[in-house]
Amino acid sequence: MTTLRQVDVDDIRAVMRRTEGLELAGIKNDQLRRRVETFLRRHGFAAKELLATLRLDAGVREEFTDALTINVTSVYRNPKMWDSLASKHMPALGSPVKVWSAGCSIGAEPYGLAIAARRANVDIRIIATDIDKRALARAKVGHFGEAEIKDTPADVVEEHFSVDGAEWIVDPSLRSGIVWRQQNLLHDPVPREAPFDLILCRNVVIYFEDEAKRNLHRRFAESLRPGGILFVGGAERVFRPWEFGLELIESAMYRFDPELVEA
């Protein structure tokens, strides 16, 4: 296989921007290179063959887009964080709590949030967005495999899921409170329902360059109402959060206060 050169990576970015409106400039170069090389090995393409195919074949472009996104996730991962968010913070956000789940992948995050809110008797409305059309299609159905349900406490599974062979199916009543939309976080406008009481974007921006991270964190802050919360991944941090009016209130949770923004 031909070694992937930087010029090839740049050409791939340009083709996907022109054909799909997919902006890859914010994704870390090493991350993008590894994902492209994996795709090349899987399909036996050389870099120039991939470029030519991407220009002509919408089906390959869709599969390639899926390969560039990260859909490793599980329902109710880190249960203590979900329970703390729902029982301690969300009741103070009003009713119903208006939520944006940004980069929702196959739906594990919004369903986990819906479960946590129900357990805490909190009424919520969720807008869930992702760039990956196939992931969104799975999310709308609400079917999960064993690996995606493994972190979910047994009592939660028993109460909110039914089993069909090797799949766990989320309670249909949880699906009814979630609106699903395709969105490119780096390129598309924020959902029209903004400002939100709560924004979740967990384990997504870790793959982005520093400038893209800062731009996203700024957009998230601007999309929160005063007192609203940004919930990020457990290993993520917002760098210099006060510049966006954000203050850390608990691990991975930031509250928006516009008075914190430096003049």
Side-chain angles (χ1 to χ4, degrees):
M1 184 186 70
T2 305
T3 302
L4 190 64
R5 304 168 301 165
Q6 184 58 46
V7 65
D8 298 321
V9 175
D10 293 341
D11 286 345
I12 287 169
R13 291 184 195 270
V15 168
M16 296 303 291
R17 184 187 304 115
R18 184 169 61 253
T19 58
E20 295 291 309
L22 182 61
E23 182 54 71
L24 301 175
I27 299 178
K28 292 178 180 178
N29 202 60
D30 288 346
Q31 292 280 353
L32 180 58
R33 183 186 294 272
R34 283 196 292 271
R35 294 178 212 173
V36 173
E37 288 175 344
T38 299
F39 191 86
L40 292 174
R41 287 194 298 271
R42 182 182 302 136
H43 293 273
F45 284 124
K48 290 187 181 299
E49 292 172 322
L50 175 61
L51 279 166
T53 305
L54 289 175
R55 292 187 180 102
L56 298 172
D57 192 324
V60 173
R61 287 199 301 271
E62 182 174 356
E63 185 178 355
F64 185 64
T65 299
D66 294 345
L68 297 182
T69 58
I70 300 297
N71 292 318
V72 178
T73 186
S74 61
V75 180
Y76 225 68
R77 181 169 51 186
N78 307 124
K80 290 182 179 179
M81 296 181 70
W82 287 113
D83 291 338
S84 176
L85 176 68
S87 62
K88 180 179 177 181
H89 298 291
M90 287 176 60
L93 295 177
S95 183
V97 178
K98 189 165 56 171
V99 183
W100 175 19
S101 175
C104 68
S105 185
I106 60 173
E109 178 179 275
Y111 286 128
L113 177 64
I115 291 169
R118 178 174 291 183
R119 285 161 64 90
N121 198 29
V122 173
D123 186 21
I124 63 171
R125 300 292 183 271
I126 303 173
I127 307 299
T129 67
D130 200 89
I131 194 172
D132 187 336
K133 289 185 286 188
R134 293 186 184 184
L136 284 172
R138 273 197 65 190
K140 292 176 183 178
V141 175
H143 290 202
F144 296 94
E146 183 176 0
E148 296 148 357
I149 210 76
K150 64 181 177 63
D151 295 324
T152 310
D155 61 324
V156 173
V157 174
E158 183 176 355
E159 183 176 357
H160 299 285
F161 292 82
S162 59
V163 181
D164 182 8
E167 289 189 319
W168 281 257
I169 305 170
V170 73
D171 185 335
S173 65
L174 290 171
R175 298 201 302 267
S176 64
I178 305 173
V179 175
W180 309 94
R181 294 182 191 146
Q182 187 180 19
Q183 184 206 37
N184 184 332
L185 280 177
L186 297 176
H187 181 72
D188 295 335
V190 301
R192 57 182 176 272
E193 289 81 0
F196 292 93
D197 302 303
L198 172 65
I199 296 175
L200 298 93
C201 188
R202 309 185 70 229
N203 306 310
V204 176
V205 303
I206 55 175
Y207 300 105
F208 293 165
E209 298 285 3
D210 288 345
E211 183 178 357
K213 288 181 185 179
R214 288 183 57 78
N215 287 338
L216 276 174
H217 288 148
R218 180 180 293 107
R219 293 182 75 198
F220 290 149
E222 292 172 348
S223 301
L224 285 167
R225 69 164 179 80
I229 293 174
L230 172 64
F231 186 22
V232 300
E236 295 177 313
R237 297 291 182 273
V238 177
F239 181 66
R240 298 175 66 87
W242 58 88
E243 293 184 356
F244 313 126
L246 297 171
E247 61 175 339
L248 185 67
I249 58 172
E250 191 171 325
S251 176
M253 299 183 201
Y254 296 81
R255 180 179 288 120
F256 176 58
D257 180 354
E259 295 185 2
L260 292 175
V261 180
E262 295 181 339

